[in-house]
Amino acid sequence: MLQRPRRNRKSAVIRDMIQETHLSPSNLIFPLFIIDGENQKEEVKSMPGIFRYSIDNLLREVESCMNLGLKAFDLFPAVEESLKDKFATESYREETLYLRAIDAVKKNFPEACVITDVAMDPYSSDGHDGIVENGEILNDETLVVLGKMALAHAQNGADIIAPSDMMDGRIGYLRQVLDENGFTNVSLMSYTAKYASAYYGPFRDALGSAPKKGDKKTYQMNPANSREALIEAQLDMEEGADFLMVKPGLPYLDVIKLLHDNFDLPIAAYNVSGEYAMLKAAIANGWLSEAAIMETLLSFKRAGATSILTYHAKEVLEKGWLK
């Protein structure tokens, strides 16, 4: 045999020499949950090792991550039920928890990249990403709320705003709002292909943001579809998106690759809460080894993702798995 591929696998040095896909701390984004109060740190039961932090402890966690080389953070607020209403007015109220958290992180760690979530569901009494009227999610009326939210985030120091709502036209609308108010340098990371997935359960537990009635299938994508993502991506690019995101990540590696192959914008993959919970449960029970974590993260990069939102971000750095 002239070709023996195993020759290039015979030692660790050679295997490392020819490794095609590499993962670095700069590829990772760490999602962090925020709660009100002081000196609060509550573990999310369905996500072992992941916590909700009050702002003082959030700052300590960000500092710990920064010392490891992890510098990008996506913040998510857990909002008290008493503060929720039909129009998510708490989302842009001055001095609300989320805006205080954004401001605190940027003032204490100006070199950190703060990514913010734009969607109504954490603040909505209906638990949906848009305004609900007679059981219907109103698209254009919702854009006005999202615009107020995005502007408030930018005013408090957000580096990247990530609309996760899946309303039609929201990227163009938010770009216009931001630009008209002087925030031309604030980026938009669009949840381009966000699927109506069963993998979001632990996240919704962490924030208490599940829909009160119905589901999200009229605005989130059908898990059976991939070419539809090309339509969403083309619109987002034309409307001014700076990043395209696929969520969830692991069941949609084909969609990550599809967008990577067809668009020149950076692609983000969201390694969501359900994916995290499955791995953690399997590892805790001895069904899988911890090596499955890095194998999973590498799969996103191999498929074409340049950024990976993952709850494993701090763990892989603490354990020295990224060389």
Side-chain angles (χ1 to χ4, degrees), residues 2-309:
L2 292 177
Q3 291 294 329
R4 291 182 180 268
R6 287 187 57 191
R7 283 196 288 260
N8 284 343
R9 302 178 198 141
K10 65 184 178 184
S11 73
V13 172
I14 295 175
R15 289 193 298 272
D16 289 345
M17 184 187 303
I18 67 166
Q19 181 170 320
E20 299 172 22
T21 304
H22 297 271
L23 194 63
S24 73
S26 61
N27 299 127
L28 304 179
I29 299 169
F30 194 22
L32 290 168
F33 299 126
I34 311 158
I35 54 173
D36 213 346
E38 294 183 7
N39 197 29
Q40 298 296 307
K41 182 180 178 181
E42 303 174 351
E43 188 170 29
V44 180
K45 290 182 180 179
S46 54
M47 300 176 70
I50 298 301
F51 299 86
R52 305 178 190 89
Y53 298 99
S54 54
I55 291 175
D56 52 346
N57 279 331
L58 172 70
L59 296 177
R60 295 185 183 98
E61 180 68 1
V62 169
E63 181 177 24
S64 174
C65 292
M66 296 283 286
N67 290 335
L68 292 167
L70 180 57
K71 298 180 180 179
F73 307 92
D74 199 353
L75 306 181
F76 295 93
V79 180
E80 295 180 13
E81 284 294 326
S82 62
L83 298 174
K84 299 180 181 183
D85 62 30
K86 180 183 180 71
F87 299 101
T89 54
E90 181 66 13
S91 65
Y92 52 85
R93 180 181 65 81
E94 190 175 349
E95 290 299 307
T96 191
L97 168 67
Y98 197 44
L99 299 184
R100 286 188 283 115
I102 297 166
D103 181 69
V105 173
K106 284 305 295 182
K107 283 183 175 175
N108 284 273
F109 307 99
E111 68 276 26
C113 178
V114 173
I115 302 166
T116 62
D117 179 60
V118 168
M120 286 181 58
D121 55 331
Y123 314 91
S124 167
S125 51
D126 294 300
H128 276 282
D129 295 56
I131 298 170
V132 181
E133 195 68 57
N134 298 320
E136 181 184 354
I137 310 300
L138 304 183
N139 191 95
D140 295 6
E141 293 84 348
T142 295
L143 299 185
V144 177
V145 178
L146 302 179
K148 293 178 181 179
M149 200 183 305
L151 181 57
H153 294 181
Q155 290 169 335
N156 282 272
D159 297 289
I160 300 174
I161 289 171
S164 62
D165 55 285
M166 288 299 287
M167 297 297 116
D168 291 340
R170 89 272 206 215
I171 297 301
Y173 184 88
L174 297 184
R175 186 72 272 162
Q176 182 178 357
V177 168
L178 292 171
D179 289 356
E180 288 177 350
N181 286 274
F183 293 103
T184 56
N185 287 332
V186 174
S187 305
L188 289 174
M189 178 183 284
S190 176
Y191 283 63
T192 295
K194 182 178 182 181
Y195 286 86
S197 173
Y199 284 86
Y200 302 147
F203 178 93
R204 291 174 181 171
D205 288 343
L207 296 188
S209 60
K212 300 298 190 293
K213 291 183 180 179
D215 53 42
K216 301 191 176 187
K217 293 180 180 179
T218 66
Y219 48 102
Q220 294 180 356
M221 285 179 56
N222 185 341
N225 295 351
S226 60
R227 293 187 60 81
E228 184 182 359
L230 295 173
I231 299 172
E232 293 282 1
Q234 184 67 39
L235 289 169
D236 285 351
M237 185 178 71
E238 292 173 354
E239 292 175 22
D242 300 289
F243 298 79
L244 306 176
M245 187 195 295
V246 176
K247 180 182 180 182
L250 200 54
Y252 300 94
L253 294 175
D254 61 318
V255 179
I256 295 171
K257 180 165 173 45
L258 185 66
L259 296 192
H260 172 265
D261 289 348
N262 285 277
F263 297 92
D264 293 331
L265 290 176
I267 309 298
Y270 201 140
N271 177 208
V272 299
S273 60
E275 298 167 39
Y276 175 88
M278 286 194 307
L279 271 187
K280 283 294 186 178
I283 291 166
N285 281 282
W287 301 332
L288 291 175
S289 74
E290 285 188 324
I293 296 172
M294 278 300 298
E295 186 176 344
T296 297
L297 297 182
L298 282 169
S299 75
F300 301 130
K301 188 78 183 298
R302 193 180 66 247
T306 49
S307 303
I308 304 166
L309 293 89

